[in-house]
Amino acid sequence: MKKMINIPVFNIKNFQDYNNCMSFDSNFYIRPFNDHINVNLFIEKPHGHDFYLILLITKGTGTHSIDYEEYNVEPGTLFIVSPGQVHCWNLSDDADGYVLFFKKEYFLIDFGHDKLMKLPFFKSSYSIPYLKLDVKEIAVLNAMFENINKEYQKHLFSYHEMIRLHLNILFLELSRVYSKQQDEGLVYSYEVIQLNRFEKLVNEHFIEQKSLNFYASQMNITMKQLGYLCKKVINKTPSEILLDRTILEAKRFVIHTDMSINAIADALNYNDDSYFIRFFKKVCHLTPEQYRQSFKWHS
């Protein structure tokens, strides 16, 4: 049975709307970023959420940590954070831009069920959550956020339908920028859907199930097919994906709990504590205790 980690997970209704009241909409939210951070002070510490977040920075500097990877923040940076990821930021007081949230089911009302999976930045948890925009791209994307924001504030007839249309255009524009920067073509394939199935299974069973045969069996494919699709889509082996998910959970335990290292090893189903410590150090280049002491957000 999985142990719980005390990381807050927010939903859209936790956030203040334009009238500084709790959000009336549980599926969509947009606000100028400076307003957002000034009225929602509880988001300063590491947290997760059950929705997608897209953040465009047009002003200010700092850092943004997403699943313990740190990214520089400056004008023209854009971040995409998926449900389940843990993030936090350290930003200058003048930071501004736009932030929007949406639930998967909100967008898919008007689109096919695999629409989001086909986008390069949503196709996998390994999709890079960061873009650096040039001046022209900043202007184009900022205008798109402004149009969505106007629709959201005016509440005209069928405004949610109009917002979804604007979101689709925004996603297509982001896909062009993303694919150009990542030097990869868009993947609209069966393999992407299968990879998402594998990652979902790993997320549900990674503690108790270390055997890749279990996952291949659950997906009704062979081990060879599983290896092929992981390599093709994200150039990782299934073992690396399982390892990465385990390490991510280990980091969360180390940083956000005061559990002993032995207790963490036990929670992650490692009977040999010394093996767990060696395994963690090989990947993170620090022992779990060293990682705990060095991480700046540790209380």
Side-chain angles (χ1 to χ4, degrees):
M1 185 175 182
K2 290 185 183 179
K3 302 277 186 179
M4 298 300 294
I5 304 174
N6 189 26
I7 302 172
V9 177
F10 301 127
N11 59 58
I12 294 176
K13 283 192 172 181
N14 292 130
F15 294 86
Q16 301 285 330
D17 67 14
Y18 279 94
N19 297 315
N20 290 335
C21 299
M22 300 313 288
S23 179
F24 64 89
D25 197 321
S26 62
N27 293 307
F28 182 81
Y29 171 103
I30 185 170
R31 193 162 187 176
F33 185 60
N34 193 262
D35 292 348
H36 171 74
I37 57 179
N38 284 334
V39 299
N40 295 292
L41 300 178
F42 61 89
I43 59 176
E44 293 180 349
K45 293 185 178 180
H47 62 275
H49 32 68
D50 65 355
F51 50 82
Y52 290 97
L53 177 153
I54 302 179
L55 168 62
L56 172 66
I57 296 292
T58 58
K59 187 178 180 182
T61 58
T63 57
H64 187 184
S65 171
I66 304 173
D67 278 344
Y68 314 106
E69 292 290 333
E70 195 166 278
Y71 302 89
N72 288 328
V73 173
E74 58 185 321
T77 49
L78 184 140
F79 298 92
I80 300 168
V81 183
S82 295
Q85 293 188 296
V86 174
H87 77 124
C88 58
W89 46 56
N90 182 14
L91 304 175
S92 58
D93 292 339
D94 63 339
D96 207 356
Y98 274 104
V99 63
L100 71 79
F101 310 150
F102 72 96
K103 298 289 287 288
K104 179 179 180 179
E105 53 268 29
Y106 174 81
F107 179 71
L108 296 183
I109 289 173
D110 295 330
F111 299 95
H113 75 279
D114 60 345
K115 177 73 172 180
L116 292 177
M117 291 182 185
K118 291 179 177 179
L119 298 167
F121 37 84
F122 292 143
K123 73 183 183 184
S124 162
S125 61
Y126 289 93
S127 299
I128 297 173
Y130 165 88
L131 288 173
K132 181 68 178 77
L133 310 173
D134 62 28
V135 173
K136 182 178 179 182
E137 291 165 344
I138 295 170
V140 170
L141 290 171
N142 190 62
M144 291 182 177
F145 277 91
E146 288 179 348
N147 287 334
I148 295 172
N149 190 43
K150 288 176 184 176
E151 283 291 336
Y152 188 64
Q153 289 190 66
K154 290 180 179 179
H155 292 184
L156 299 177
F157 175 74
S158 296
Y159 73 98
H160 277 303
E161 185 176 354
M162 185 66 78
I163 286 173
R164 286 190 285 271
L165 291 174
H166 280 299
L167 282 177
N168 190 43
I169 295 171
L170 173 65
F171 294 160
L172 293 174
E173 186 65 35
L174 286 176
S175 295
R176 293 175 176 176
V177 177
Y178 189 98
S179 297
K180 180 177 66 176
Q181 291 193 16
Q182 305 306 323
D183 193 28
E184 62 178 28
L186 297 183
V187 182
Y188 293 84
S189 68
Y190 163 81
E191 285 83 7
V192 171
I193 304 218
Q194 286 289 76
L195 176 65
N196 276 272
R197 285 185 62 201
F198 174 56
E199 288 189 322
K200 184 174 185 293
L201 284 168
V202 167
N203 194 54
E204 293 171 350
H205 301 288
F206 70 95
I207 290 180
E208 67 271 18
Q209 293 290 346
K210 309 295 185 186
S211 169
L212 294 174
N213 283 315
F214 167 82
Y215 299 100
S217 175
Q218 291 291 306
M219 296 172 67
N220 294 315
I221 60 176
T222 66
M223 287 283 292
K224 183 176 180 180
Q225 289 171 321
L226 179 60
Y228 171 79
L229 75 90
C230 293
K231 272 290 188 179
K232 180 177 180 180
V233 180
I234 56 173
N235 196 31
K236 290 248 184 183
T237 67
S239 295
E240 288 173 323
I241 292 173
L242 184 57
L243 169 68
D244 288 348
R245 183 61 186 89
T246 304
I247 282 292
L248 176 58
E249 197 72 6
K251 287 179 177 179
R252 289 175 177 173
F253 273 117
V254 168
I255 294 167
H256 299 294
T257 77
D258 57 2
M259 293 169 61
S260 70
I261 304 307
N262 290 350
I264 293 173
D266 183 63
L268 294 174
N269 203 21
Y270 284 90
N271 297 324
D272 186 339
D273 301 341
S274 60
Y275 174 79
F276 169 73
I277 293 170
R278 292 196 304 273
F279 153 74
F280 189 97
K281 185 175 182 180
K282 181 178 180 181
V283 176
C284 301
H285 309 294
L286 294 170
T287 67
E289 193 57 48
Q290 289 170 337
Y291 191 83
R292 171 174 278 169
Q293 295 302 322
S294 67
F295 200 79
K296 69 169 116 178
W297 285 289
H298 180 62
S299 59

